[in-house]
């Protein structure tokens, strides 16, 4: 279809947009805009009535989701979203203070595959008819998500590599004692059972730490969120990071008195990656021996995880730049750790903040919504 360009310039004086004529009906190239929206925009533009029924959708829906526009007119908006995101959107858009809401969501295509999209919903009240509408913009962000996934994976691998030194140490110690016990057993020592028990314990230690390392090296394969225990995830991460801390004489203390047996809905692999990044940063911020306190507490329907270090702290200049991609003060840092943490936590409807401690070091605070039962 050709764009009717000539129409664009028929009444130039009327093209000035003021408050009075801020309606498509007052603009002479109305039809051209409609055609352009219908055929040329890369994003899906859609209009829904107050009850959530689809009134109009641009042709981009065929390219992005595979549906022909005429086949889906009158569909309910809920058919385009997974149940959870639909509920979040509903809650936010029903709030009279919100005129607009944005979310990243996985939307089903006609072929059953899900695709990452950025969705913007705007409430619109037609000044003439007084009718309310919702205008939805849907942007395909699958390419951006794939890049994020790759960056996130390479960061994970880089962390796994960096942890290897500490872990090699941690494994060498039990191996040395295992070797010693085997030699004792070979020499015909009597109290064999005692030695066997210790050997099994040592092997269990090695097993735990190597399986943690393998777990974090696995690519993030899905976005499935399940019920997960915060304390279990923290304990597993601490297990992995303790060797690194031990090399610097740093103790990691976990205080869960104010929050036992609490669960969130989340992707275990991703949440653990956040804990690893934050605790590893805390270890790296400390030159000498000291303690990292991890305090978990429940506040209303949220869980708060404070990672408090005794390190060099963050000065005002740095605080502005912490969330910048590639900002690092470390020789081997990627400067992506916190960027990825922020992205993961935001996707889990949480927040991540940081501040300087009064005496020494800094605190990184993660807040996540608790699972409602
Ligand atoms: N606990 C902390 N104390 C002091 N500075 C910190 C702390 N955590 C982060 N920073 C600062 O923020 C910067 C960015 O951290 P980020 O985790 O994003 O990347 P990185 O640690 O430098 O690299 P990588 O995570 O790849 O090892 C760090 O280089 C450091 O200067
Ligand atoms: Mg880091």
């Amino acid at each position: 279809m050709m764009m009717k360009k000539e129409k664009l310039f028929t009444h130039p004086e009327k093209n000035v947009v003021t408050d009075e004529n801020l309606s498509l009906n007052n603009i002479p190239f109305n039809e051209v805009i409609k055609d352009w929206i219908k055929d040329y925009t890369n994003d899906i533009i859609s209009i829904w009535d107050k009850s959530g029924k689809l009134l109009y959708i641009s042709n981009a829906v065929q390219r992005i989701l595979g549906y022909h526009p005429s086949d889906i007119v009158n569909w309910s908006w809920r058919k385009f979203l997974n149940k959870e995101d639909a509920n979040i959107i509903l809650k936010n858009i029903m709030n009279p203070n919100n005129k607009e809401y944005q979310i990243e969501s996985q939307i089903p295509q006609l072929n059953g595959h899900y695709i990452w999209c950025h969705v913007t919903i705007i409430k619109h009240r037609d000044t003439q008819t007084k009718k309310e509408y919702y205008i939805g913009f849907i942007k395909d962000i699958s390419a951006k998500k794939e890049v994020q996934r790759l960056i996130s994976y390479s960061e994970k691998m880089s962390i796994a590599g960096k942890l290897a030194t500490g872990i090699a140490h941690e494994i060498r110690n039990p191996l040395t004692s295992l070797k010693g016990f085997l030699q004792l057993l070979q020499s015909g020592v009597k109290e064999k059972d005692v030695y066997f028990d210790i050997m099994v314990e040592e092997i269990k230690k090695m097993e735990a730490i190597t399986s943690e390392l393998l777990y974090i090296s696995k690519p993030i394969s899905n976005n499935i969120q399940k019920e997960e225990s915060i304390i279990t995830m923290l304990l597993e991460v601490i297990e992995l990071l303790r060797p690194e801390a031990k090399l610097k004489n740093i103790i990691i203390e976990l205080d869960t008195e104010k929050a036992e047996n609490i669960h969130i809905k989340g992707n275990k692999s991703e949440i653990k990656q956040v804990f690893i990044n934050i605790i590893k940063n805390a270890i790296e911020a400390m030159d000498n021996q000291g303690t990292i306190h991890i305090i978990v507490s429940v506040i209303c329907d949220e869980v708060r995880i404070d990672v408090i270090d005794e390190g060099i702290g963050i000065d005002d200049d740095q605080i502005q730049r912490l969330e910048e991609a590639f900002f690092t003060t470390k020789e081997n840092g990627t400067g992506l750790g916190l960027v990825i943490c922020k992205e993961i936590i935001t996707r889990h409807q949480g927040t991540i903040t940081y501040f300087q401690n009064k005496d020494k070091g800094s605190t990184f605070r993660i807040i996540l919504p608790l699972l409602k039962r």
Side-chain angles (χ1 to χ4, degrees), residues 64-65 67 77-86 88-89 103-109 112-119 138-142 145-146 149 220-225 267 270 347:
I64 298 177
L65 299 178
Y67 301 104
W77 65 286
R78 280 187 176 272
K79 277 200 176 180
F80 288 90
L81 291 158
N82 60 63
K83 213 170 145 194
E84 275 162 27
D85 287 349
I88 295 171
I89 291 175
I103 190 172
E104 286 186 356
S105 180
Q106 283 186 294
I107 296 191
Q109 293 176 312
H113 290 146
Y114 280 75
I115 177 173
W116 272 108
C117 291
H118 183 275
V119 180
I138 302 169
K139 188 183 186 70
D140 172 4
I141 53 163
S142 47
K145 283 284 169 188
E146 182 57 14
R149 194 187 65 80
I220 301 169
S221 55
N222 54 45
N223 290 291
I224 294 172
Q225 299 203 348
N267 184 295
E270 291 186 330
R347 211 152 17 80

Side-chain angles (χ1 to χ4, degrees), residues 277 280-281 284 330 337:
N277 282 334
K280 195 171 146 290
N281 278 350
E284 286 165 349
K330 300 168 194 169

Side-chain angles (χ1 to χ4, degrees), residues 310-327:
E310 296 174 354
I312 44 169
I314 14 179
D315 60 34
D316 287 349
D317 276 355
Q318 275 183 14
I319 262 189
Q320 312 289 335
R321 304 195 58 196
L322 282 200
E323 284 169 29
E324 248 174 51
F326 307 113
F327 170 74

Side-chain angles (χ1 to χ4, degrees), residues 136-239:
F137 298 91
I138 302 169
K139 188 183 186 70
D140 172 4
I141 53 163
S142 47
K144 180 184 126 189
K145 283 284 169 188
E146 182 57 14
V147 171
Q148 270 178 359
R149 194 187 65 80
L150 288 172
I151 292 177
S152 189
Y153 180 55
S154 63
E155 229 271 336
K156 271 177 94 169
M157 291 312 284
S158 124
I159 288 183
K162 287 178 200 160
L163 292 176
T165 326
I167 288 171
H169 270 268
E170 193 72 1
I171 289 175
R172 203 176 51 183
N173 294 343
L175 272 179
T176 313
S177 58
L178 278 175
K179 194 169 143 200
F181 289 134
L182 278 173
Q183 282 165 344
L184 276 172
L185 291 169
Q186 260 180 341
S187 70
V189 76
K190 278 191 187 131
E191 290 126 4
K192 284 189 182 143
D193 285 351
V194 183
Y195 293 116
F196 283 139
D197 288 347
I198 304 175
M199 286 168 77
V200 169
E201 280 312 305
E202 295 293 279
I203 290 171
K204 274 191 196 157
K205 265 192 230 162
M206 293 195 294
E207 228 178 0
I209 196 145
T210 45
S211 43
E212 255 324 285
L213 187 64
L214 284 177
Y215 181 81
I216 67 149
S217 312
K218 265 199 325 207
I220 301 169
S221 55
N222 54 45
N223 290 291
I224 294 172
Q225 299 203 348
K226 287 200 200 128
E227 175 176 343
E228 301 290 353
S229 152
I230 284 283
I231 310 294
T232 308
M233 287 190 284
L234 277 169
L235 283 172
E236 286 169 355
V237 165
I238 293 170
E239 177 89 35

